[in-house]
């Protein structure tokens, strides 16, 4: 048993196993439209944000979720830590099915799974001091040695001396310091699993390297399993053992990071690697720009969801049959790809 009382990670169970995860959001509509819909007997419309995502994460492993804005990577990350309730699918943590868990097991999970958000200014409560920000999760989970734990977490996050930061509010800190506080808050509970959503995209370029090296150290010293979410493949290449490329709520390619970057197999992954990041004044950070429009996430395209933008389109099958994510005979690594190019009927020469 771990010191938190949870069952130990057995060899048979990965730390996290996700099977067929779905998250659909009902479209907000006005009273009149919803009455009209009800009168006409029409079903409500849903955004298919995440549509059948499956993967495993071992203890100490880092997985990158990559894709353009709106591909479902952040919704996947939030579902993993139960900030969204999945519409369907199964999430197992240390072999425990979170969809069937009782309150005590969920409390245990919440202690072990943390999230670092992209904007530390929004994720920290402006009315709470650094000390109270870190004390809050300890008090929720009734954990002792509050001050010692807070001091240790701040020290680890290189906020020195830690006591100097106790009474400070977020607006008194720099962007880099705020993200370090967010990291310290995630670590104060000694978690096993962290989701880091674009953790440096809101920071000045000059501060990114320092925060990334802190996160690398955090992963190593705490033997953490981390899901990194980013559009930035060079960042994910540096931080992650494996990559999962997402398009319109689905994983289209999955495998070891270097294999994917050096030899991408899915047409979307190839486009993503060739795409140029461009500054986005609306969100103050870079986004990836690919040719063509992303399909409709409400009325999802039939067949392969990428068919409207695919430069390697091979015919009707791309519009009629949905390819499944699987290992193909061609690959000598553990790569999985969802594309008809590798089916016997559409096999690439
Ligand atoms: Fe392109 Fe067809 Fe493969 Fe989809 S299935 S990525 S449309 S070749």
């Amino acid at each position: 048993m771990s010191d938190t009382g949870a069952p130990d990670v057995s060899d048979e169970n990965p730390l996290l196993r996700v099977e067929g995860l779905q998250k659909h959001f009902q479209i907000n509509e006005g009273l009149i439209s919803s009455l009209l819909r009800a009168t006409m007997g029409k079903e409500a419309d849903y955004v298919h944000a995440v549509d059948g995502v499956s993967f495993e994460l071992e203890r100490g492993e880092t997985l990158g979720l990559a894709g353009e804005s709106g591909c479902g990577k952040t919704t996947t990350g939030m579902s993993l830590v139960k900030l969204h309730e999945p519409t369907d699918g199964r999430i197992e943590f240390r072999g425990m099915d979170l969809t069937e868990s009782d309150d005590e097991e969920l409390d245990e999970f919440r202690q072990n799974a943390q999230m670092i958000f992209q904007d530390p200014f929004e994720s920290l409560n402006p009315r709470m001091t650094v000390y109270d920000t870190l004390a809050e999760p300890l008090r929720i989970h009734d954990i002792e040695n509050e001050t010692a734990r807070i001091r240790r977490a701040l020290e680890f996050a290189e906020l020195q001396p830690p006591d100097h930061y106790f009474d400070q509010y977020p607006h008194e800190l720099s962007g880099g310091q705020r993200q370090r506080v967010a990291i310290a808050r995630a670590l104060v509970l000694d978690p096993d699993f962290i989701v880091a959503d674009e953790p440096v995209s809101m920071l000045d370029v000059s501060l990114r390297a320092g925060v990334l090296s802190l996160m690398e150290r955090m992963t190593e010293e705490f033997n953490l399993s981390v899901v990194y979410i980013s559009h930035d493949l060079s960042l994910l290449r540096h931080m992650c053992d494996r990559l999962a490329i997402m398009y319109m709520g689905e994983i289209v390619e999955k495998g070891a990071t270097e294999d994917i970057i050096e030899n991408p197999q899915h047409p979307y992954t190839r486009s993503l690697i060739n795409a140029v990041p461009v500054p986005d004044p609306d969100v103050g950070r870079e986004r990836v720009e690919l040719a063509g429009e992303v399909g409709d996430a409400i009325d999802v395209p039939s067949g392969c969801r990428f068919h409207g933008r695919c430069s390697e389109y091979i015919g009707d099958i791309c519009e009629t049959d949905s390819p499944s994510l699987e290992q193909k005979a061609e690959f000598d690594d553990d790569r999985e790809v969802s594309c008809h190019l590798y089916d016997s009927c559409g096999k690439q020469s």
Side-chain angles (χ1 to χ4, degrees), residues 266-268 304 306-307 310 312-314 318 323 338-341:
H266 193 282
Y268 178 63
C304 168
F306 190 54
H307 76 247
C310 181
E312 299 176 53
Y313 177 90
I314 54 169
C318 294
S338 158
C339 173
H340 294 308
L341 273 173

Side-chain angles (χ1 to χ4, degrees), residues 216-235:
E216 270 185 297
R217 197 160 59 81
M218 159 192 101
T219 309
E220 218 170 281
E221 290 188 25
F222 287 74
N223 194 26
L224 280 172
S225 307
V226 185
V227 170
Y228 284 100
I229 294 169
S230 182
H231 67 281
D232 183 346
L233 285 171
S234 56
L235 180 149

